[in-house]
Amino acid sequence: IHMCCARASCKAYTLDSAKFKPVPVFGNGDIMSFTDWEEQMQHRRQWIQELAELEEEEERRVMNGHGRAADMDKVARKTPEELGLDPYSHLTTCMLARGVLLKPWLPTEIKERRHWDISSSERFDMLKRFADYGLEHWGSDRRGVDSTRRFLLDWISFLHRYVPVGLIEAQYLPQHINDRPPRFQGRNELETLMGSTSVKDWIKISEMLLGPVDENYSFQPKHKANAYETPSQELVDALTETKA
């Protein structure tokens, strides 16, 4: 179930769907940091612990002759809301989904419980490995290079949305998937280039890995986030006139 958009109704729909047992439900999206992950999983752990305590209490009542064995089954069949527990406990687990496209190192952050201020050179090394895997799979001929470049550019259309941890003020950590960060100047030229919203800069990065493209080469990303939409020229002109 997708929970990737900013509207609360989407999350409510996910939680409502999770009430239909015994089907496992996975919340898909919105995980962009280890704190996001731990917050959601903490709801799950808390529910399991509190449910176990309720079942133990009911078992003691049965053993003491104050209840029936059937009452224990009723406890297990109740929803978390009926038991006074957190509604997020319906979720079996959460998928990283788009978060790992923006931050391939997200599993490491979750495992080590930290916000990783990964360097631009380390991120570029990941792109190198991706390009190597592509050429190994599709071949190093013209067709293979073009296929590798196309998939690489599709990935960069997600990667550029990451804002380095070292550039974010502490009160705004962690970055959320629906944030609308302003354009920023990186700590070096490569970091600035990797954060560019321009397709021309994405192609430039691909040329650093796969060689130059033809003069008329163009790329149209398949996925375009509204939060990162480039303003129209009309809007830019209107804002310029307003400032003047």
Side-chain angles (χ1 to χ4, degrees), residues 123-131 152 155 159 205 209:
R123 293 162 60 198
F124 191 71
D125 285 341
M126 292 181 182
L127 295 179
K128 283 182 180 179
R129 291 198 297 273
F130 184 93
L152 176 64
W155 189 26
L159 288 174
I205 293 174
L209 298 165

Side-chain angles (χ1 to χ4, degrees), residues 55-238:
E55 290 177 341
E56 288 178 4
E57 181 182 348
E58 193 60 40
E59 185 177 1
R60 285 195 298 269
R61 291 182 66 243
V62 172
M63 296 297 293
N64 293 331
H66 299 297
R68 299 175 300 170
D71 294 334
M72 295 179 61
D73 293 333
K74 290 181 180 179
V75 171
R77 286 196 299 268
K78 285 185 176 180
T79 66
E81 285 93 340
E82 292 171 334
L83 295 171
L85 305 180
D86 195 292
Y88 276 94
S89 56
H90 288 309
L91 297 179
T92 303
T93 186
C94 287
M95 294 177 62
L96 305 185
R98 295 182 305 163
V100 83
L101 289 176
L102 275 65
K103 297 171 58 176
W105 55 92
L106 182 55
T108 301
E109 289 192 353
I110 293 174
K111 179 180 179 181
E112 299 180 359
R113 303 185 71 251
R114 67 185 177 102
H115 298 300
W116 183 5
D117 188 12
I118 186 170
S119 68
S120 58
S121 59
E122 289 174 308
R123 293 162 60 198
F124 191 71
D125 285 341
M126 292 181 182
L127 295 179
K128 283 182 180 179
R129 291 198 297 273
F130 184 93
D132 289 341
Y133 295 149
L135 295 176
E136 180 181 348
H137 179 74
W138 284 294
S140 57
D141 58 1
R142 176 64 178 272
R143 184 174 181 180
V145 172
D146 287 345
S147 295
T148 301
R149 192 187 307 275
R150 176 165 54 86
F151 282 97
L152 176 64
L153 290 171
D154 267 328
W155 189 26
I156 294 176
S157 72
F158 284 93
L159 288 174
H160 84 279
R161 296 166 56 185
Y162 166 71
V163 180
V165 170
L167 300 182
I168 303 177
E169 296 182 17
Q171 66 265 33
Y172 297 113
L173 277 175
Q175 178 185 358
H176 299 291
I177 207 161
N178 288 306
D179 285 347
R180 295 173 178 261
R183 294 183 180 180
F184 61 86
Q185 181 73 32
R187 290 164 291 190
N188 54 54
E189 185 177 350
L190 180 59
E191 191 168 72
T192 302
L193 183 64
M194 297 178 80
S196 172
T197 60
S198 171
V199 174
K200 292 182 179 180
D201 287 332
W202 305 349
I203 294 175
K204 182 178 179 180
I205 293 174
S206 78
E207 290 181 314
M208 297 166 67
L209 298 165
L210 299 169
V213 299
D214 293 336
E215 184 178 350
N216 298 323
Y217 184 86
S218 64
F219 170 74
Q220 181 65 37
K222 293 181 179 179
H223 309 282
K224 189 174 183 180
N226 292 331
Y228 290 79
E229 184 175 0
T230 303
S232 64
Q233 188 59 46
E234 291 80 2
L235 178 58
V236 173
D237 293 340

Side-chain angles (χ1 to χ4, degrees), residues 3 11 14-15 25-48 86-96 110 176:
M3 298 196 303
K11 292 187 178 181
T14 301
L15 298 176
V25 175
F26 296 78
N28 182 4
D30 281 349
I31 303 298
M32 271 286 287
S33 65
F34 82 90
T35 52
D36 288 342
W37 169 266
E38 292 190 348
E39 179 184 353
Q40 300 305 325
M41 296 311 294
Q42 178 59 33
H43 290 298
R44 176 70 180 171
R45 288 191 292 267
Q46 181 180 355
W47 172 63
I48 292 174
D86 195 292
Y88 276 94
S89 56
H90 288 309
L91 297 179
T92 303
T93 186
C94 287
M95 294 177 62
L96 305 185
I110 293 174
H176 299 291

